[in-house]
Amino acid sequence: MNCLICQAKALTPSINFQALITLKSNPSYLCLTCKNTFIKIGVDHCPRCYKSGEKEICQDCQEWERKGIIINHQAIFKYNDSMQQFFSRYKFMGDYQLHQVFKSYFKFKKEFTIVPIPLSPERYQERGFNQVAAFMEKLPLQHLLTKKESQPQSSLTREERLTHTNPFQIKENSSIPEKK
């Protein structure tokens, strides 16, 4: 198999200690050169939004908190040129196989309900797949949301995205899980 990013380098399966013990190998979908272009977020980051280089709650999260919204998510990688090119190819060019690259980073914790962000019917028709749900295809998902058609986020400025009305709604007759 060749690297899913550059297509140029044939991948050789690597065997590590965990693979020997569990008899399960973790397939690699990237060559080392491409893999090294995705930079993990270091230890210095905002504890709420994972903005790199922050040691305390960042200004953006403090602003959201003043509005009554507490941000709490985790990021693994920096959004650099390689990540931007990856998502451009994955989302907008429909390269579905690229979901293999990062899906191993999505883990299930029993105390959480996993709700993928849906696409509008029009956007789903355009792309042919839900890029978020593809990353989590093996996890127990609960499809509790619908999305109205709206202007694509990628076409909006940061300020427009922050002030844009929420296009998501809870599906009618959905059973919302109790907080654990």
Side-chain angles (χ1 to χ4, degrees):
M1 181 167 99
N2 287 351
C3 172
L4 290 179
I5 301 292
C6 70
Q7 298 293 319
K9 298 179 181 161
L11 302 174
T12 55
S14 62
I15 303 218
N16 60 23
F17 186 71
Q18 181 181 4
L20 289 173
I21 299 295
T22 63
L23 299 177
K24 292 181 183 176
S25 65
N26 287 333
S28 178
Y29 297 100
L30 299 179
C31 67
L32 192 55
T33 302
C34 290
K35 186 176 185 174
N36 287 337
T37 65
F38 297 107
I39 310 299
K40 286 193 171 184
I41 293 173
V43 293
D44 289 338
H45 58 76
C46 171
R48 293 204 181 143
C49 73
Y50 275 58
K51 183 178 183 180
S52 225
E54 302 284 337
K55 293 186 180 190
E56 302 293 327
I57 297 172
C58 72
Q59 292 296 319
D60 287 342
C61 287
Q62 290 177 38
E63 182 62 32
W64 283 111
E65 189 172 341
R66 283 189 280 281
K67 295 177 182 178
I69 299 170
I70 303 297
I71 302 296
N72 183 14
H73 72 263
Q74 296 178 358
I76 300 167
F77 294 95
K78 292 182 180 182
Y79 190 72
N80 61 9
D81 287 341
S82 293
M83 194 61 75
Q84 183 181 19
Q85 290 171 12
F86 170 88
F87 277 107
S88 177
R89 197 167 128 195
Y90 179 55
K91 286 173 64 174
F92 305 119
M93 294 180 198
D95 194 344
Y96 179 76
Q97 287 303 314
L98 287 177
H99 82 282
Q100 304 280 5
V101 172
F102 294 114
K103 78 177 187 179
S104 67
Y105 291 95
F106 291 88
K107 306 289 184 203
F108 176 63
K109 294 183 179 181
K110 288 183 181 179
E111 66 270 18
F112 294 105
T113 299
I114 303 173
V115 181
I117 302 300
L119 297 174
S120 66
E122 293 83 356
R123 199 73 65 230
Y124 187 87
Q125 182 70 33
E126 183 181 300
R127 292 192 184 148
F129 68 101
N130 180 325
Q131 70 279 355
V132 174
F135 283 132
M136 302 180 288
E137 67 186 356
K138 302 279 187 202
L139 301 178
L141 306 178
Q142 293 208 17
H143 298 274
L144 301 175
L145 300 174
T146 61
K147 183 180 183 212
K148 294 182 281 185
E149 182 61 31
S150 63
Q151 195 172 359
Q153 294 285 304
S154 61
S155 70
L156 302 175
T157 66
R158 181 176 188 273
E159 186 61 35
E160 289 170 330
R161 287 193 304 272
L162 292 172
T163 58
H164 203 242
T165 58
N166 182 1
F168 301 103
Q169 296 175 327
I170 296 175
K171 283 183 179 179
E172 243 181 81
N173 301 320
S174 288
S175 176
I176 308 297
E178 293 292 322
K179 187 174 180 181
K180 295 178 184 179

